Structure formats: C-alpha cells, structure tokens
Amino acid sequence: MSDMPASSRASGLPTPWQATHATVHRLDATSSTPLDLPQASSGAAALGRALAIGNFDGVHIGHQAIVAQLVQHASLVPGVLTFEPHPRHFFAHRFSALGAGDVKSPPAIISTLRDRVAGLARAGAHEIFLGRFNHAMASMPAHQFITELLLKRLQAREILVGEDFRFGANRQGDFELLEREARRRDCRVTTWPQVQRAGRRVSSSWVRQALLAGDLSLATTLLGGPYSVSGHVLHGQKLGRQLGFPTLNLRVPGSHLRDAHRSAPAKPASALDGILAVRVHGLADQPLDGVASWGTRPAVTSGGHSLLEVHVLDWSGDAYGQIVQVDCLHKLRDEAHFDSLAALTEQIRLDTAQAREWLAQFKDRPHG
C-alpha cells in the first residue's frame, strides 16, 4: 500500500487540479490490514467510510453526482474504490494469452489513471482506493470481498454501487448479496443516483460513443467540461520540428494496452483520434491554443503506437518532462496518409489555420 496525495501528481496543472487533496491508496487483494481512518468532513473522528465502487472511466457528471452524495455523510469519510486495470481489459488479455476463442473486445479507454484520480478528487472524494485487478482480486470469493475488503479493511459503513454491480470470483456477487451481508454488519448499501441528459442515462459507454464519433460537444456536456488528457511531455522523433511545427508529445489513454492485447480482437485502445483543435494548460498563466494529432500517425509510420502530438500556436519553449493538460475541443478531421512530406506539411498548415479560426470563434462564445 502507498499513500500519495492526488495534488502531488498535479504539479504544473491549472488551479482546479492543484486544489485537490485526496489521498490515494493502492490496494492489493492479498493484504488484510485495516486502513486507518482520517477525520471526517465534519472535523470529528470518523465513524467509518462512505464508499462508492466502480470503474469511473471518464468521471462524467453521473460519477460526479455519486461522489457528491458521498460527501453528504458528514460523520463518514467519502472514498472511492476503483480498479486498475479495468477488469474487462484484464480478462481480455488473460483469455487471449490462453488462446481462448471468441474473446470479447474490452472497451476503449476514456481516461488515463492520472486523469481518473484527479477527476474523482475534484468531485470531492477524500480518499481514492486503487484496487490492483489481478488474479488474486479476480478469484476472491464474493463473501470475502464484502467482509474482508469492504467492511473490515476499508471500514465501509455506507456503500454506493450501480444496480447491476457484480463482483467476486466468476461474478457471483450481486447487489442483493452485498446489501444482505452488509446490513448484518450495520452497513447500508444503496444504488447510486442516475443523471440523465435528453432522456438518457449518462454513462461511460455514452461518453465513449461520443468520443469515437468525434462529437466533442456532446462529450463536453456529458463530462461537465472539456474532454482532457494530462501527462508528461515526452521526447519524440522531432519530425514536427523539422517541418516547422514543433509538437508536445503525450501518451494517450489506452496506449499502454496495445501490445498487451495484440491477440485480442481489434478495437481502438483509446476512444478518440484524429486532428483536433485544443487548449493547453501548464505552459503559461493562461491556457494556450493549439492543434493536435491523436492517433497512430499513418502519415509517418505504419503500425505505430497511439500518441497525442500538440503544436501550440504562437509559443516556443522547452517543455520536456513537464506535466501539461490538453483540452480537446473540436475534431477537424480523421487521420490520413500522405504520399510525401511536402503534402503532409501543406496539410498541417491547413489544419493549423482551421484550428486557429475555430478557436478564435470559440473564444467569443458564451460558456457556462
């Protein structure tokens, strides 16, 4: 187990990120030591934890409502239990490695772990428990998951889950089992609130669909703000610099899964790709406009890893190693292959001009 303030992960990011103070605990299924309780939000000694359990990919407005409900329990510490990797990615990799046929594709990833933790902390979670989803976690009996992990180790006294929540070896546990066993030990279990837009329940699946379709306006509505990615600026091939358009390079959600799932059914590891109009935080006091390429760079290489390359407009400097946040505001076009570097360079010029024009209009729009 390790404790790390979420704010310590946010150096160089804008104020909303720097204001988070959640403590991150890494959980291993083989440990059984109870975790000490901090003070409750009321400042008094905590009576236990109010705990929401889920994957929380994207931390959309429905997830934010769940955390807001946790915070209402003044005598309990609001916490979130989530899992890394996503259980469906774990099983897809495991079954494909075993040569199992008809392996179901795992969902495209919306958020990096960094962004998921920061989003949960901004929503109001005081503690975030990262359950390492491995063989030990996957094979834990449902009864042990309840009594040993949730009630004894995490000292849960209020639990929020989705109505279709399943857990334990072979998904044997369900809401009814959890509610019955928890009630015997003075712990209340409820289903989390559902938030709707346009008569439809907000979900990670809907956010994922919006991103895959390139509908960043809808994604912004469902997320309660722009879809963003943060991370360290990496060294790249420097091709953009040679072409006159230097870029900041970041890993994108799901990029680390491509090699792991080579034998799994083909599916994009991240939910978004293409050429984008963006805003970049962390390089100056105010966010800077930019144009970005998100994808495998078919114009440059074949079979490459997915990468986010951002050309920041009217800015120059050395950002290697810094943490930046990229807000993805509008998709300009899909990725494309070009027969020559000259053709690629000309397209980049057109993309840059189009992004500049769109961002100038965006500045003049009213924002809630």
Side-chain angles (χ1 to χ4, degrees):
M1 181 193 76
S2 65
D3 298 347
M4 178 169 50
S7 55
S8 70
R9 294 166 161 252
S11 177
L13 294 179
T15 300
W17 294 69
Q18 293 174 335
T20 61
H21 298 289
T23 299
V24 179
H25 305 268
R26 295 186 180 273
L27 297 181
D28 193 301
T30 59
S31 176
S32 60
T33 305
L35 292 170
D36 292 336
L37 285 165
Q39 283 189 333
S41 57
S42 62
L47 300 179
R49 290 184 172 92
L51 191 69
I53 308 172
N55 292 304
F56 300 102
D57 194 14
V59 195
H60 53 65
I61 56 176
H63 294 146
Q64 295 163 30
I66 293 165
V67 178
Q69 184 166 322
L70 291 177
V71 176
Q72 295 176 9
H73 300 278
S75 62
L76 303 177
V77 179
V80 170
L81 171 60
T82 188
F83 303 97
E84 180 69 17
H86 192 297
R88 285 179 59 183
H89 282 275
F90 169 81
F91 286 116
H93 176 45
R94 181 181 180 186
F95 292 149
S96 63
L98 293 173
D102 193 25
V103 180
K104 188 175 182 180
S105 297
I109 296 295
I110 300 173
S111 299
T112 63
L113 180 59
R114 173 193 298 278
D115 291 335
R116 190 174 8 146
V117 166
L120 290 168
R122 285 201 314 276
H126 290 196
E127 295 182 299
I128 300 166
F129 301 95
L130 301 179
R132 182 186 176 193
F133 201 89
N134 52 15
H135 176 73
M137 181 72 77
S139 59
M140 179 183 291
H143 187 270
Q144 182 181 346
F145 181 86
I146 299 170
T147 58
E148 295 297 322
L149 181 61
L150 301 183
L151 301 181
K152 179 180 177 182
R153 190 168 185 210
L154 298 183
Q155 303 179 62
R157 295 296 175 265
E158 183 85 20
I159 297 176
L160 272 71
V161 294
E163 59 185 12
D164 57 351
F165 178 58
R166 301 301 293 263
F167 59 96
N170 300 316
R171 293 168 54 87
Q172 293 176 343
D174 57 13
F175 179 85
E176 287 72 21
L177 175 64
L178 176 60
E179 197 276 334
R180 183 174 64 250
E181 294 300 316
R183 186 175 63 247
R184 291 175 179 174
R185 296 163 177 82
D186 298 321
C187 176
R188 189 176 72 156
V189 180
T190 56
T191 56
W192 55 39
Q194 294 192 1
V195 175
Q196 295 193 347
R197 289 293 182 270
R200 179 177 175 181
R201 180 176 66 89
V202 177
S203 66
S204 295
S205 295
W206 194 7
V207 175
R208 202 172 285 118
Q209 291 169 8
L211 294 174
L212 288 169
D215 191 344
L216 288 170
S217 177
L218 174 58
T220 296
T221 297
L222 301 178
L223 294 169
Y227 175 57
S228 63
V229 177
S230 69
H232 289 90
V233 177
L234 309 172
H235 286 278
Q237 298 178 342
K238 308 294 193 297
L239 178 60
R241 186 176 301 277
Q242 297 173 28
L243 300 178
F245 298 91
T247 61
L248 312 178
N249 303 316
L250 282 78
R251 290 192 181 94
V252 296
S255 61
H256 64 293
L257 298 170
R258 291 188 178 273
D259 287 340
H261 295 296
R262 279 179 299 192
S263 55
K267 186 162 185 172
S270 54
L272 182 64
D273 61 14
I275 310 305
L276 314 166
V278 301
R279 286 261 169 81
V280 183
H281 302 263
L283 298 176
D285 292 337
Q286 299 295 322
L288 304 176
D289 291 347
V291 58
S293 170
W294 181 323
T296 56
R297 299 172 294 164
V300 178
T301 184
S302 60
H305 294 286
S306 190
L307 191 69
L308 180 60
E309 301 173 288
V310 184
H311 173 61
V312 183
L313 304 181
D314 308 319
W315 179 86
S316 63
D318 182 2
Y320 291 119
Q322 292 187 40
I323 297 177
V324 299
Q325 173 187 312
V326 180
D327 293 345
C328 303
L329 303 177
H330 178 68
K331 183 170 179 176
L332 301 172
R333 63 175 177 86
D334 290 330
E335 285 191 294
H337 174 76
F338 297 93
D339 294 330
S340 66
L341 288 180
L344 171 61
T345 302
E346 178 58 25
Q347 184 60 54
I348 294 175
R349 293 187 190 280
L350 293 174
D351 294 337
T352 301
Q354 188 177 357
R356 191 186 294 275
E357 180 181 357
W358 189 92
L359 288 163
Q361 295 174 355
F362 180 77
K363 288 179 181 178
D364 296 333
R365 299 174 191 169
H367 304 291

